[in-house]
Amino acid sequence: MGINGCRSAFALLLVMSAHLFLNHGANANANNEILKGVTAAKSTGTLVYAAEKKSEQDELAVSLPSFKIYINDQRVDVYNAQYPFLMYNDITYLPMTWNNAKALGLRTTWDQGTGFHINNEKQFIAQTVEQDFNSSGNELTYVAKVPKFNVSIEDALYDSSKEKYPVLVFRDVTYIPLTWDVAVEKLGISIKMEGTAELRLSKS
């Protein structure tokens, strides 16, 4: 092969090499864009997942109490109640049904603008508890929700977002924690625990 032939072959080789290099660069850029898209998708997915996890904080695991419960010396059927007492974070929760409220001398009202109100009924006459029953019985554990509406106890807003024991909603009924502050000091409910076997609620 002559000198001119070698030069032509060498020039062709350079052209092919340049072509391959450019294609490789284009592919690399395309791959980078794909990776950016995947990364962005993962980031978006992470944000969505975080938002979902945040919303799940409004759902809390609760359980049925393992001890007997009495209201005004009347045994409450926890395991077959439509609105059973619940336990969250070792605190008993009282379902604020109309019957329970009346039996414990409490007045409940609902306002579309201001939410759910619970107040100590000053003029109180002790009543027996009428219970609603669940024909299929209850499971031992459930999930309750923190309500989106406002709840006021003795005309003071109870901010569940700042409380260790938030107000809960289960089966569309509001549940309040039977802490000393809420039950005894604010609502005047007498709480008596017989060891770990019985919890007695009454209103003097």
Side-chain angles (χ1 to χ4, degrees), residues 21-61:
F21 176 79
L22 291 174
N23 283 343
H24 176 75
N27 290 336
N29 289 332
N31 289 336
N32 285 338
E33 290 302 316
I34 292 172
L35 287 175
K36 287 179 182 178
V38 171
T39 302
K42 286 183 177 179
S43 299
T44 303
T46 300
L47 290 174
V48 171
Y49 179 74
E52 289 176 351
K53 293 298 288 183
K54 184 176 180 181
S55 66
E56 287 174 4
Q57 292 176 2
D58 293 335
E59 297 184 349
L60 302 174

Side-chain angles (χ1 to χ4, degrees), residues 119-178:
N119 288 282
N120 190 355
E121 187 69 73
K122 306 305 179 183
Q123 302 298 323
F124 169 68
I125 300 176
Q127 299 182 29
T128 58
V129 182
E130 296 182 14
Q131 299 182 70
D132 297 311
F133 295 103
N134 181 5
S135 59
S136 60
N138 289 314
E139 303 291 336
L140 295 180
T141 59
Y142 285 102
V143 172
K145 296 183 178 181
V146 178
K148 302 297 183 183
F149 52 83
N150 289 334
V151 175
S152 295
I153 300 176
E154 281 295 280
D155 298 322
L157 180 65
Y158 190 87
D159 190 348
S160 290
S161 67
K162 298 179 180 178
E163 298 289 343
K164 183 177 180 180
Y165 306 103
V167 171
L168 299 176
V169 170
F170 178 69
R171 293 176 180 166
D172 296 325
V173 165
T174 303
Y175 280 65
I176 62 170
L178 291 177

